[in-house]
């Protein structure tokens, strides 16, 4: 194993991509990855401050959470699609699903945003979700205080 990597202001905001890279925030605008074979690399410098929420990387698409919405980044072309007008409050959790990324918001709303930045599905639960956990067979478990709700997001 290489020497430990230290990065500032990560605040525990990290995730694992489909190809095994650990993706994390370093500072307010930089997204980095770590893989045991390729080491640490800067993946993306964002033009606006990011919230301390795990960046989600799948293939060459990156989903990032900002104060005003979500940015979907096509890393192949450097194109950014901003998804705004999500009046659901702060993002509490996010998880990769078959149709994109499922985001849980403070008001109990669940919103799926696809690779193109389209809002593919919306659902409102009666409880605030603190964690989204991918399960087997395409299921996602939405976990809140005193609740576990299992969903099968549509592709």
């Amino acid at each position: 194993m290489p020497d430990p990597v230290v990065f500032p202001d990560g605040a525990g905001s990290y995730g694992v991509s489909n190809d095994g890279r650990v993706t994390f925030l370093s500072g307010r605008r930089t997204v980095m990855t770590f893989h045991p074979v390729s080491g640490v690399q800067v993946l993306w410098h964002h033009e606006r401050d990011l919230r301390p929420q795990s960046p989600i990387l799948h293939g060459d698409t990156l989903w990032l959470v900002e104060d005003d919405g979500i940015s979907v980044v096509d890393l192949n072309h450097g194109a950014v699609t901003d998804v705004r007008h999500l009046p659901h409050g702060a993002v509490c959790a996010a998880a990769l699903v078959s149709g994109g990324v499922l985001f849980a918001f403070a008001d109990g709303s669940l919103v799926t945003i696809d690779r193109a930045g389209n809002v593919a599905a919306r659902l409102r639960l009666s409880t605030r979700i603190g964690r989204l956990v991918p399960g087997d067979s395409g299921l996602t478990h939405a976990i809140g205080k005193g609740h576990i709700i299992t969903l099968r997001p549509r592709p």
Side-chain angles (χ1 to χ4, degrees):
M1 285 295 289
D3 290 334
V5 176
V6 178
F7 57 94
D9 303 326
S13 299
Y14 62 90
V16 179
S17 71
N18 62 315
D19 64 1
R21 290 181 283 176
V22 176
T23 307
F24 58 93
L25 299 178
S26 178
R28 293 178 176 223
R29 297 182 178 192
T30 303
V31 180
M32 299 181 76
T33 63
F34 169 76
H35 192 276
V37 175
S38 57
V40 177
Q41 298 175 335
V42 172
L43 183 65
W44 182 255
H45 288 288
H46 202 56
E47 63 186 35
R48 294 175 300 273
D49 287 351
L50 299 169
R51 296 201 33 87
Q53 181 77 36
S54 300
I56 297 190
L57 176 64
H58 186 267
D60 291 321
T61 305
L62 180 65
W63 287 262
L64 303 170
V65 177
E66 302 175 17
D67 284 335
D68 295 333
I70 295 162
S71 290
V72 182
V73 181
D74 177 341
L75 295 169
N76 279 336
H77 299 98
V80 179
T81 301
D82 293 320
V83 181
R84 303 284 184 239
H85 311 296
L86 297 169
H88 308 296
V91 172
C92 299
L96 187 65
V97 295
S98 64
V101 173
L102 179 65
F103 292 93
F105 290 87
D107 72 350
S109 293
L110 294 169
V111 175
T112 301
I113 298 176
D114 68 14
R115 291 177 182 274
N118 299 312
V119 175
R122 290 181 196 253
L123 173 68
R124 179 118 182 216
L125 302 175
S126 61
T127 186
R128 182 177 177 154
I129 300 302
R131 191 167 169 210
L132 293 169
V133 179
D136 293 337
S137 303
L139 300 175
T140 300
H141 307 289
I143 302 169
K145 187 174 183 179
H147 292 83
I148 296 177
I149 300 165
T150 299
L151 308 163
R152 183 180 308 278
R154 294 182 197 150

